[in-house]
């Protein structure tokens, strides 16, 4: 049954390997393939750990309140492929994207992660004023290098962004290299 609790996903692990664990705690089983589970009980010198998602087998009701809607035309955002990706794994809202990103305006690079640590970005959940970037990212697959051209109304608009040196009414270009896409659901397990 999809979403059901699977009793076979309960395992015993040595107490000594996870002596800091407590009953009811979520632990990462580093010595057991990096799995994550909930400590159910101690049996002699072992922990019984449940690898099921904590909500597996539970009825879940979700209430969503729509606060506002706004029509945005994706065709105003232009994506130019510079290197093909897998053509299968495209980020959607809620996914975590690990990427290198270079932001430029009128040919001038304003910021770049290329020389350092890639950016880890939560699509749809960041405090992003740049809706165009989020629309563009959904059109770039895993492993792809692309240029995303975002018109000012879908970027920072009339206000610009002093912190990022983006002037008012600036069209922006993001050069993105998608290194990883993780689903919010995959991270829960």
């Amino acid at each position: 049954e999809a979403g059901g609790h699977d009793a076979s996903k309960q395992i015993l692990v040595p107490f000594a390997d996870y002596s800091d664990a407590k009953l009811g705690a979520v632990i990462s089983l580093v010595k057991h393939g990096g799995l994550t589970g909930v400590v159910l009980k101690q049996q002699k010198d072992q922990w019984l750990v449940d690898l099921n998602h904590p909500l597996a087998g539970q009825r879940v009701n979700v209430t969503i309140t729509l606060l506002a809607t706004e029509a945005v035309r994706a065709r105003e955002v232009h994506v130019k492929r510079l290197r093909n990706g897998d053509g299968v794994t495209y980020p959607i809202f809620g996914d975590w994207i690990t990427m290198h990103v270079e932001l430029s305006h009128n040919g001038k690079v304003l910021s770049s992660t290329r020389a350092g640590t890639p950016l880890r970005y939560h699509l749809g959940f960041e405090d992003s004023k740049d809706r165009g970037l989020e629309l563009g990212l959904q059109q770039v697959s895993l492993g792809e290098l692309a240029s995303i051209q975002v018109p000012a109304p879908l970027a920072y608009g009339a206000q610009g962004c002093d912190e990022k040196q983006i002037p008012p009414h600036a069209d922006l270009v993001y050069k993105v290299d998608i290194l990883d896409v993780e689903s919010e659901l995959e991270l829960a397990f």
Side-chain angles (χ1 to χ4, degrees), residues 2-6 38 50-62 185 188-189:
H5 188 272
D6 183 354
V38 176
D50 188 350
L51 303 178
N52 286 287
H53 186 277
L55 296 176
Q58 303 293 318
R59 182 178 297 254
V60 178
N61 292 319
V62 177
L185 292 176
F189 290 96

Side-chain angles (χ1 to χ4, degrees), residues 6-114:
D6 183 354
S8 70
K9 289 186 177 180
Q10 293 180 354
I11 64 170
L12 291 169
V13 297
F15 178 82
D17 288 351
Y18 305 98
S19 58
D20 294 345
K22 294 181 175 44
L23 293 177
V26 176
I27 61 171
S28 178
L29 303 173
V30 177
K31 295 182 180 179
H32 294 83
L35 301 170
T36 301
V38 176
V39 178
L40 297 179
K41 62 182 173 179
Q42 185 178 356
Q43 296 180 340
K44 296 185 182 181
D45 60 345
Q46 296 180 317
W47 289 117
L48 178 62
V49 179
D50 188 350
L51 303 178
N52 286 287
H53 186 277
L55 296 176
Q58 303 293 318
R59 182 178 297 254
V60 178
N61 292 319
V62 177
T63 302
I64 299 174
T65 303
L66 183 62
L67 300 176
T69 61
E70 184 176 338
V72 177
R73 295 180 294 192
R75 67 179 176 270
E76 293 177 359
V77 174
H78 299 283
V79 177
K80 179 180 178 185
R81 282 162 184 50
L82 305 175
R83 180 185 70 227
N84 288 333
D86 71 357
V88 174
T89 312
Y90 290 89
I92 60 172
F93 285 117
D95 286 351
W96 283 94
I97 306 169
T98 303
M99 63 182 169
H100 277 296
V101 60
E102 178 182 281
L103 170 62
S104 61
H105 168 63
N106 285 342
K108 178 184 174 194
V109 175
L110 302 177
S111 65
S112 176
T113 64
R114 199 36 91 176

